[in-house]
Amino acid sequence: MDCERWPYGDLAHLAHVELITPKPEESLWFFTEVMGMTVSGEEGDSVYLRGWDDYEFHTLKLTAGKAPALGHLAFRTKSLEALKRRVKALEASGLGEGWTEGDLGHGPAYRFRTPDGHLMEIYYETVWYTPTEATRPALKNQASRFPGRGANLRRLDHINILASDVGAVRTFLETYLGMKVTEQIVFSDGTEQGAWLTCNNKTYDVAITKDHLGAKGRLHHFTYAVDSREEVLRAADICLEHGVFIETGPHKHAIQQTFFLYVYEPGGCRFEIACPGARLLLAPDWKPIVWNEEERKRGQAWGLKTVETFHTYGVPPVEEA
Amino acid sequence: MDCERWPYGDLAHLAHVELITPKPEESLWFFTEVMGMTVSGEEGDSVYLRGWDDYEFHTLKLTAGKAPALGHLAFRTKSLEALKRRVKALEASGLGEGWTEGDLGHGPAYRFRTPDGHLMEIYYETVWYTPTEATRPALKNQASRFPGRGANLRRLDHINILASDVGAVRTFLETYLGMKVTEQIVFSDGTEQGAWLTCNNKTYDVAITKDHLGAKGRLHHFTYAVDSREEVLRAADICLEHGVFIETGPHKHAIQQTFFLYVYEPGGCRFEIACPGARLLLAPDWKPIVWNEEERKRGQAWGLKTVETFHTYGVPPVEEA
Amino acid sequence: MDCERWPYGDLAHLAHVELITPKPEESLWFFTEVMGMTVSGEEGDSVYLRGWDDYEFHTLKLTAGKAPALGHLAFRTKSLEALKRRVKALEASGLGEGWTEGDLGHGPAYRFRTPDGHLMEIYYETVWYTPTEATRPALKNQASRFPGRGANLRRLDHINILASDVGAVRTFLETYLGMKVTEQIVFSDGTEQGAWLTCNNKTYDVAITKDHLGAKGRLHHFTYAVDSREEVLRAADICLEHGVFIETGPHKHAIQQTFFLYVYEPGGCRFEIACPGARLLLAPDWKPIVWNEEERKRGQAWGLKTVETFHTYGVPPVEEA
Amino acid sequence: MDCERWPYGDLAHLAHVELITPKPEESLWFFTEVMGMTVSGEEGDSVYLRGWDDYEFHTLKLTAGKAPALGHLAFRTKSLEALKRRVKALEASGLGEGWTEGDLGHGPAYRFRTPDGHLMEIYYETVWYTPTEATRPALKNQASRFPGRGANLRRLDHINILASDVGAVRTFLETYLGMKVTEQIVFSDGTEQGAWLTCNNKTYDVAITKDHLGAKGRLHHFTYAVDSREEVLRAADICLEHGVFIETGPHKHAIQQTFFLYVYEPGGCRFEIACPGARLLLAPDWKPIVWNEEERKRGQAWGLKTVETFHTYGVPPVEEA
């Protein structure tokens, strides 16, 4: 059915990320004080956070745990019918895990795993963020007040998951979630090294990168967006002042042309502050851009060589063979 | 059917604008030299232009004529089936006008008018821009080379049409094209003064503004986007150097929060250079923001009073009663 | 002697401003929370503040008082000898008032008044700011940590004083302090409406504007600088969120081309956040740019009409005849 | 005498750089089309160029020659008397070479060499740039029209010369020209690796870097400034489009905190596009910041490792032992 696949598609957008952190207090400090996100709620071992223009109750769920890792990621569907259609497809995939009640931020969600083991969920019923006295915006077409604190992250942008088999995860997202590949890396030996997929007009909501350490189901990074490249530069200044480890950047990726800054949050997870600019995926017949090994060797957009850790580090950390 | 209405919707995006200009040479100079757009083709009295990251052959068709006016505007649909569905609906609307062969930039298009008389068309088959030696980009995921000339406009963003009856045109776009209202102005007496509609994740592709001079089918302005607010400020510097009339701005609208600069191109049409930032419409259940008369009186986002001409001037120009 | 007059000159730079405020707690909140300045000390009714890259102990002294007003402004001289030379000249001017012990932020200072009554002082011995644990910068060539709070004002930039007789005050600053006029407004009737003077390579440290209400010794505004125009725009967003009154801007002045935002701090004083860009006064033989009445009528750089209050409001406020 | 040494000092500013290029046409294309500079004159084998806000006739003299090299650099003095004082001092240094008639851009100049052999000159009488019809600015307090072409370089900023003995050249500039060191690199073994000197409120006009290949009198790079860091990023995009080699950046230096982009112009000379921000040297008693070997190893401000060529490449190129 038309509706099921992009450019229609049943998914609305990447909705939230749950990050497990072995240093919950420090991670919380990082996301609120350094990054400028705001706490919208707390429950058990989890703290719920959001960027100032995220419309939902939360886009980040920070949960205390033994090692840094992706707890789960979630997509919101376009409607209840869309949710039902996806659940039906996922049940047939053999990778479905069943329904949850949802949590502070949203209603019933159906959980499933990618072939590589990443835990995901989809839901429709959500909680729209209600500003408090302290977070009420001056302009009512804005989710909450511009905080004027730290990097002032605007909204969740995307997530990059590591996979032992990129093609398998990509196919899974295309087949069962109706996502579309916008850019890809394919090496000379034919191996798929990376894939970027979207379910809307953003050029990507999910990236899948080859896990060079052969592990399964790990997380490379997740990303929030700011409005300008100058704010990404300021985020670098702010991270430097706070002793946050800057892994690489600021610079511009050749792939997707995202202007990026990668840091490690205190729990150990790689986190990105990015500016997508006015770049959107509007063409319904967009053909994926495929980058080859030779092109990848040229480095980032303006020639920056990718640091080695970018190719190996992820969470949970694994020993290199 | 699900597919027909936003957030699915049959329309992909606002595709191009045809501007009639009584000063074709000067208008062309403005769009190419001052704004940094590039000519992709010419035919008869028309010149075809595009921003450096517009993927289609053209997004602006500049046609010589007696007075400045909107020639027509076009939407691209998501597929041939989507086109057929829309045509069927439009035929039933009574405002359909029939098929054209298309032109240099696209295939067969179905033309129709809004209740106020604005000429529009929808099509699916298009011509993707093929870079020449001079316009080939260094990065292959970019439609063409960053020109480094003038305001370096990136892509078409939206159009704002004047209407004697805003509600009628809005209803028409919602009903027959499946567009969705994201923001609106409704005065105390209940009159609809403005409506902003989208067919994708941009917060608006089309705005409809009340024609205070009571005319029908006029054009308020159309807009191209740049990546940063700094580039909007530079566009103001560039316009000043070239003697281009700056009507108002740079400033930020309260509605939609677009950072804007309004100028008059040599033919007399109001033209906007804008930065949308990272603001997107991702929520499938977005409720339109309604602004009232009191709120409008406060002026633009940071208090700038809207200049009088912004409320009256449009093309074609009409004598004020 | 060469040394006494610009481009040599005995003055190093505008050093600090003392602002009297009838709302000391609210003014303090404004400068620290909204503007991002930091408190370096307190004494009596005064709080000492600075921008993150001001090298001295303070650049703003906030003192509680009955009405908003300029307490005094200070220049630092280039050396003790320079200070002695200036004091000698000022003693001969008839407007000298004598020595003070200095205060928390600096050593002995010689006080004097302009012909219009503005209280000024000059000193050489100063207290360099010593960062605390909380304000230590990551990079040691920076005065203190980038705060990541509010508008993150970098440093004091200039002050604009109102005068009943602009020419008299200008002549005084040129003659006794060795300052140089860089730009001026002179109307058709020959009256001097404004003068901008520098003592270094900044294009101005002090501006003198005609007091249209005929009062003497009032203050128009004082200004802090940020690195980019984007940060001025963000400052506007931040002020809007905090309910700070935005009088005019952001926009670019024609005079000096400063990119500005004018707000009223809670005590009632007009305050400016500006970006000077990379514009400097390097030519030793710079001839003052003189703007006439006709040119002033064109408005600001991109055409913004100057709001009426900009021509009349100052502190202390006076009743308009 | 006070006047002779900073913060008074007889030098006004770095005035121009003569670059010898073995590819005069391509170098000219680079500076005009890619960098946005404008030609103000031509004479013999030389072309005279300037940034849009350079007040003098030229700031760059491009001369055809066998190999890329520094032809000479020039400082303008604050007055004729200042020029005479400096000449007298230089004559006594033993490194003076005598007077020239000046050239298209300026009057009589006194030439001399640094201990390492760099050819320099000082002059006072200059030619102020007179805008043509095509380069007349809209605002009269601007040297010429904002070109809206390429990187739109605003003005000359600084030069970095390589020296076999940094300390000797530094001492020479301090002693005979009255310049002041603002930052320095001194290694554990006591060797001076770099020195940054100013003669005004810019934090540096001249940098001296250790020539690791042991050569004498070479050039590391020279630099023009733009107003914002976003424009440095755009310059990177523009260089990429034009196939200009990007050596490193954009990034921020720890030393001086300049936001930089280094490219090689077609003749082979390293060229920098920089944003100094609002950072100025206002304190008359500024103490040089000394960076040690350990601090240098940390890389640039946000951790970027300095590329190897940055430590070895200069012009004229020499074979590495």
Side-chain angles (χ1 to χ4, degrees), chain A residues 62-85:
Chain A
L62 205 57
T63 301
K66 279 191 179 173
L70 171 67
H72 73 278
L73 65 84
F75 295 97
R76 189 178 184 208
T77 59
K78 286 181 177 167
S79 64
L80 279 171
E81 293 67 38
L83 177 59
K84 285 177 189 160
R85 276 194 299 265

Side-chain angles (χ1 to χ4, degrees), chain A residues 3 76 140 227 278 285 290, chain B residues 3 76 140 227 278 285 290:
Chain A
C3 297
R76 189 178 184 208
K140 63 186 192 179
D227 287 311
D285 53 347
V290 183
Chain B
C3 299
R76 190 177 183 208
K140 63 186 192 179
D227 288 312
D285 52 349
V290 182

Side-chain angles (χ1 to χ4, degrees), chain D:
Chain D
M1 187 186 171
D2 256 350
C3 296
E4 300 182 35
R5 300 187 68 80
W6 194 94
Y8 291 93
D10 281 329
L11 297 191
H13 59 86
L14 175 71
H16 59 262
V17 173
E18 180 182 22
L19 173 68
I20 310 298
T21 169
K23 297 186 179 182
E25 280 175 24
E26 290 150 86
S27 292
L28 181 63
W29 161 83
F30 169 79
F31 287 109
T32 54
E33 294 309 306
V34 186
M35 292 293 110
M37 292 177 71
T38 307
V39 172
S40 48
E42 298 181 46
E43 191 174 68
D45 284 331
S46 300
V47 180
Y48 295 74
L49 300 112
R50 46 192 300 295
W52 58 271
D53 206 32
D54 280 319
Y55 76 94
E56 290 184 280
F57 181 82
H58 76 290
T59 48
L60 173 62
K61 182 175 178 179
L62 206 58
T63 301
K66 280 190 178 172
L70 171 66
H72 72 278
L73 66 83
F75 295 98
R76 187 177 185 210
T77 58
K78 285 180 177 168
S79 65
L80 278 171
E81 293 67 39
L83 176 59
K84 285 177 189 161
R85 274 194 300 264
R86 290 307 99 221
V87 168
K88 194 168 167 197
L90 288 162
E91 282 172 335
S93 74
L95 289 166
E97 297 204 338
W99 290 91
T100 71
E101 288 297 316
D103 68 6
L104 273 193
H106 60 89
Y110 183 81
R111 291 204 157 182
F112 56 97
R113 289 190 185 266
T114 68
D116 226 66
H118 309 90
L119 181 60
M120 300 187 174
E121 69 184 13
I122 49 176
Y123 67 88
Y124 175 69
E125 288 168 51
T126 195
V127 176
W128 276 67
Y129 178 72
T130 305
T132 64
E133 192 60 51
T135 64
R136 182 155 300 118
L139 294 171
K140 63 185 190 178
N141 54 359
Q142 187 172 308
S144 62
R145 175 179 291 195
F146 182 81
R149 181 179 64 251
N152 292 312
L153 301 182
R154 181 175 189 134
R155 58 164 176 79
L156 177 66
D157 193 78
H158 67 270
I159 187 165
N160 185 320
I161 54 182
L162 290 164
S164 60
D165 185 336
V166 172
V169 178
R170 171 188 50 78
T171 308
F172 176 81
L173 295 181
E174 288 177 301
T175 306
Y176 297 101
L177 294 184
M179 298 191 77
K180 174 182 170 60
V181 172
T182 59
E183 301 198 25
Q184 237 172 338
I185 303 175
V186 178
F187 273 9
S188 322
D189 61 5
T191 58
E192 193 168 347
Q193 296 288 324
W196 282 257
L197 298 92
T198 186
C199 56
N200 54 42
N201 296 117
K202 291 170 67 275
T203 59
Y204 60 117
D205 257 10
V206 177
I208 313 164
T209 313
K210 179 78 173 171
D211 194 323
H212 296 291
L213 302 189
K216 284 177 178 292
R218 300 205 297 157
L219 173 64
H220 192 269
H221 70 267
F222 65 106
T223 307
Y224 275 70
V226 288
D227 287 312
S228 64
R229 302 199 286 190
E230 174 59 36
E231 286 168 286
V232 177
L233 301 178
R234 271 305 179 212
D237 288 331
I238 289 165
C239 286
L240 188 71
E241 297 292 22
H242 286 283
V244 172
F245 174 67
I246 296 173
E247 183 190 40
T248 186
H251 202 87
K252 181 164 102 169
H253 281 303
I255 295 183
Q256 301 286 0
Q257 295 204 23
T258 313
F259 190 71
F260 67 83
L261 172 69
Y262 290 102
V263 303
Y264 290 4
E265 59 86 25
C269 183
R270 179 186 289 105
F271 182 75
E272 179 189 12
I273 299 97
C275 175
R279 184 168 192 261
L280 291 175
L281 196 300
L282 298 173
D285 53 347
W286 175 271
K287 292 183 184 32
I289 306 270
V290 183
W291 304 83
N292 60 41
E293 201 161 355
E294 157 102 31
E295 288 164 334
R296 293 301 291 139
K297 281 188 183 148
R298 293 181 202 158
Q300 299 300 331
W302 303 312
L304 177 69
K305 294 304 173 203
T306 310
V307 293
E308 194 51 34
T309 53
F310 199 76
H311 290 308
T312 54
Y313 186 75
V315 293
V318 300
E319 290 304 318
E320 299 193 36

Side-chain angles (χ1 to χ4, degrees), chain B residues 1-15:
Chain B
M1 186 186 170
D2 251 352
C3 299
E4 301 181 35
R5 297 187 67 82
W6 195 94
Y8 292 94
D10 281 331
L11 297 191
H13 59 86
L14 176 70

Side-chain angles (χ1 to χ4, degrees), chain B residues 17-320:
Chain B
V17 173
E18 180 182 24
L19 173 67
I20 310 299
T21 170
K23 298 187 178 180
E25 281 174 24
E26 291 150 85
S27 293
L28 180 63
W29 162 82
F30 169 79
F31 286 109
T32 53
E33 295 308 306
V34 186
M35 293 292 108
M37 291 177 72
T38 307
V39 172
S40 48
E42 299 182 44
E43 192 175 67
D45 284 332
S46 300
V47 179
Y48 295 74
L49 300 112
R50 47 192 299 296
W52 58 271
D53 206 31
D54 280 319
Y55 77 93
E56 289 184 279
F57 181 81
H58 75 292
T59 47
L60 172 60
K61 182 176 179 179
L62 205 57
T63 301
K66 280 191 179 172
L70 171 66
H72 72 278
L73 66 84
F75 295 98
R76 190 177 183 208
T77 59
K78 287 181 176 166
S79 65
L80 279 172
E81 292 68 37
L83 177 58
K84 285 177 190 161
R85 275 194 299 262
R86 290 306 101 223
V87 169
K88 194 167 167 197
L90 287 162
E91 282 172 335
S93 74
L95 288 165
E97 296 203 339
W99 289 91
T100 71
E101 288 296 315
D103 69 5
L104 274 193
H106 61 88
Y110 183 81
R111 292 205 156 182
F112 57 96
R113 289 190 185 266
T114 67
D116 227 64
H118 309 89
L119 181 61
M120 300 187 174
E121 69 183 16
I122 49 176
Y123 66 89
Y124 174 69
E125 290 170 48
T126 194
V127 176
W128 276 68
Y129 178 70
T130 306
T132 64
E133 192 61 50
T135 64
R136 183 156 300 117
L139 295 171
K140 63 186 192 179
N141 53 358
Q142 187 172 309
S144 62
R145 173 179 292 196
F146 183 81
R149 180 179 66 250
N152 293 312
L153 301 182
R154 180 173 192 137
R155 59 165 177 76
L156 177 66
D157 193 78
H158 67 269
I159 187 165
N160 184 320
I161 53 181
L162 290 165
S164 60
D165 184 338
V166 172
V169 177
R170 171 188 51 78
T171 307
F172 176 81
L173 296 180
E174 287 177 302
T175 306
Y176 297 102
L177 295 184
M179 298 191 77
K180 174 183 170 60
V181 172
T182 59
E183 301 198 24
Q184 236 172 339
I185 304 175
V186 178
F187 273 9
S188 321
D189 60 6
T191 57
E192 193 167 346
Q193 296 289 322
W196 283 257
L197 297 93
T198 186
C199 54
N200 53 43
N201 296 115
K202 290 172 66 275
T203 58
Y204 60 115
D205 257 11
V206 177
I208 313 164
T209 313
K210 178 77 174 172
D211 194 324
H212 294 291
L213 302 189
K216 283 177 179 295
R218 299 202 300 156
L219 172 65
H220 192 270
H221 70 267
F222 66 106
T223 308
Y224 276 70
V226 288
D227 288 312
S228 65
R229 301 200 286 190
E230 174 59 37
E231 286 167 286
V232 177
L233 300 178
R234 270 306 178 210
D237 288 333
I238 289 164
C239 285
L240 187 70
E241 296 291 23
H242 286 285
V244 172
F245 175 65
I246 296 174
E247 184 192 38
T248 185
H251 202 86
K252 182 164 102 167
H253 282 304
I255 294 183
Q256 302 286 1
Q257 295 205 22
T258 314
F259 190 71
F260 67 84
L261 172 69
Y262 290 101
V263 302
Y264 290 3
E265 59 87 23
C269 183
R270 178 185 291 104
F271 180 75
E272 179 188 14
I273 299 98
C275 175
R279 185 170 192 259
L280 290 176
L281 196 299
L282 298 173
D285 52 349
W286 176 272
K287 289 182 186 31
I289 306 269
V290 182
W291 303 84
N292 60 42
E293 200 161 355
E294 157 101 31
E295 289 165 332
R296 294 300 293 138
K297 282 189 183 144
R298 293 180 203 158
Q300 299 300 332
W302 304 310
L304 177 69
K305 294 304 171 203
T306 311
V307 292
E308 194 51 34
T309 53
F310 200 75
H311 290 306
T312 55
Y313 186 74
V315 293
V318 300
E319 290 302 321
E320 299 193 37

Side-chain angles (χ1 to χ4, degrees), chain C residues 103-278:
Chain C
D103 69 6
L104 273 193
H106 61 88
Y110 183 82
R111 293 203 156 183
F112 57 95
R113 290 189 185 267
T114 67
D116 227 65
H118 308 90
L119 182 61
M120 300 186 175
E121 69 185 14
I122 50 177
Y123 66 89
Y124 175 69
E125 289 168 49
T126 194
V127 176
W128 276 67
Y129 178 71
T130 305
T132 64
E133 191 61 49
T135 65
R136 182 157 300 119
L139 294 171
K140 64 185 191 179
N141 54 359
Q142 188 172 307
S144 61
R145 174 179 292 195
F146 182 81
R149 181 179 65 251
N152 293 311
L153 300 182
R154 181 174 189 133
R155 58 164 177 79
L156 177 65
D157 192 77
H158 67 270
I159 188 166
N160 185 320
I161 54 182
L162 290 164
S164 59
D165 184 339
V166 172
V169 178
R170 171 187 52 76
T171 307
F172 176 81
L173 295 180
E174 289 177 300
T175 307
Y176 297 101
L177 294 184
M179 297 190 78
K180 174 182 170 61
V181 172
T182 59
E183 301 198 25
Q184 237 173 337
I185 304 175
V186 177
F187 274 9
S188 323
D189 60 6
T191 58
E192 194 167 346
Q193 296 289 324
W196 282 257
L197 297 92
T198 186
C199 54
N200 55 41
N201 295 115
K202 290 171 67 276
T203 58
Y204 60 116
D205 257 10
V206 177
I208 313 164
T209 313
K210 178 77 173 172
D211 194 324
H212 295 290
L213 301 189
K216 284 177 178 293
R218 299 204 298 154
L219 171 65
H220 192 270
H221 70 267
F222 66 105
T223 308
Y224 276 70
V226 289
D227 288 313
S228 64
R229 301 199 287 190
E230 173 60 36
E231 286 167 287
V232 177
L233 301 178
R234 271 305 178 212
D237 288 332
I238 289 164
C239 286
L240 187 71
E241 297 291 22
H242 286 284
V244 172
F245 174 65
I246 297 174
E247 184 192 40
T248 185
H251 201 86
K252 181 164 102 168
H253 281 302
I255 295 183
Q256 302 287 1
Q257 296 204 22
T258 313
F259 189 72
F260 66 84
L261 172 69
Y262 290 102
V263 303
Y264 290 4
E265 59 86 24
C269 184
R270 178 185 290 103
F271 181 74
E272 179 188 12
I273 299 98
C275 175

